[in-house]
Amino acid sequence: ETGNTGAYATCTPCDHMMEQMTPTSSWGTSFVSAPYYNSAGTVMQDGSYLRVVTYDPGTTSFSVTGFPAQTLSGKGAYKDYKITAGTVVTSNKAIGLYQIMASSSCYSSAGSVGDADLVSIIPEQQWGQYYPFITGDPSAGYFQNFIILVTKGASNSIYIDGTVQSGYTAIGTTGYYYKPISITGGAHAAMGDAPFMVYVYGVADVESYSYPASGSNLSPILLPVNLLNFAASLNNSGVVNLTWSTASE
């Protein structure tokens, strides 16, 4: 987890940001994201930021839609970007990508709805085709719940609770699309005929939550994975000899 107790996400007030971090072995090179939306169906201006984090100790080159190509040197180096539209991030080496919801005072047009929050953006290499998820308790009108669908290709069929979706927004000429959806509280399911991704979030009075829907993979990609190989044999005295060796794949 990130484990902080209070963070100012570009503005005040502060809030704790907790997120189950994905292992670096599952980081990738292609990501798709979209800004947060409010209940009026408009983008939370000044409300969405992306953070690129490097893994390789050398130089990592990457591009973010709408910005010049960039390089970062060293392991754990990072750079932040404010986004107001669908965004594609690609890199030549494995990176981590995180989306930050700014503190509530950053987006006065939305009043005090929402607050500092952090979510892991899942690389395209790890997308799945079925996602069960749960949204926040809407009792007393507390949480406004949303999902964001991201997909490659507009012809893919994606269903939310059995209803096929349409009306996606193209991210330039990248071939990627996204769709923000206001959704009721409770249990839901998304499924598609090709890999896609679902992000779940909710906002309330100076409150927020967000997470990538369960259904993506955490398979080791791009990075070496250390394996421990065991071998056992029985000697003439009836004693088992256990040996092991390491390898990478």
Side-chain angles (χ1 to χ4, degrees), residues 129 131 133 146-151 153-169 177-184 188-194 196-198:
Q129 291 180 244
Y131 298 89
F133 60 93
F146 304 85
I147 62 172
I148 294 178
L149 302 179
V150 294
T151 182
S155 61
N156 296 337
S157 295
I158 299 175
Y159 296 82
I160 305 296
D161 298 333
T163 301
V164 68
Q165 301 299 302
S166 60
Y168 295 91
T169 299
Y177 296 78
Y178 73 98
K179 181 181 181 180
I181 301 172
S182 177
I183 197 166
T184 58
H188 303 275
M191 62 183 300
D193 59 3
F196 67 105
M197 190 61 212
V198 182

Side-chain angles (χ1 to χ4, degrees), residues 73-159:
S73 297
K75 191 173 185 176
Y78 68 90
K79 188 171 179 62
D80 296 339
Y81 296 87
K82 183 175 77 173
I83 64 170
T84 58
T87 303
V88 176
V89 179
T90 57
S91 62
N92 69 328
K93 298 176 181 178
I95 59 173
L97 186 68
Y98 304 92
Q99 185 157 329
I100 299 168
M101 181 184 293
S103 299
S104 59
S105 62
C106 288
Y107 33 91
S108 57
S109 61
S112 59
V113 176
D115 205 8
D117 198 74
L118 175 72
V119 64
S120 297
I121 302 300
I122 304 301
E124 181 185 357
Q125 295 97 322
Q126 305 283 22
W127 290 359
Q129 291 180 244
Y130 177 71
Y131 298 89
F133 60 93
I134 297 175
T135 52
D137 182 2
S139 62
Y142 185 60
F143 268 113
Q144 302 168 14
N145 298 297
F146 304 85
I147 62 172
I148 294 178
L149 302 179
V150 294
T151 182
K152 186 174 185 179
S155 61
N156 296 337
S157 295
I158 299 175
Y159 296 82

Side-chain angles (χ1 to χ4, degrees), residues 223-228 246-249:
L223 307 176
V225 177
N226 293 323
L227 305 177
L228 195 59
T246 59
S248 296
E249 70 172 21

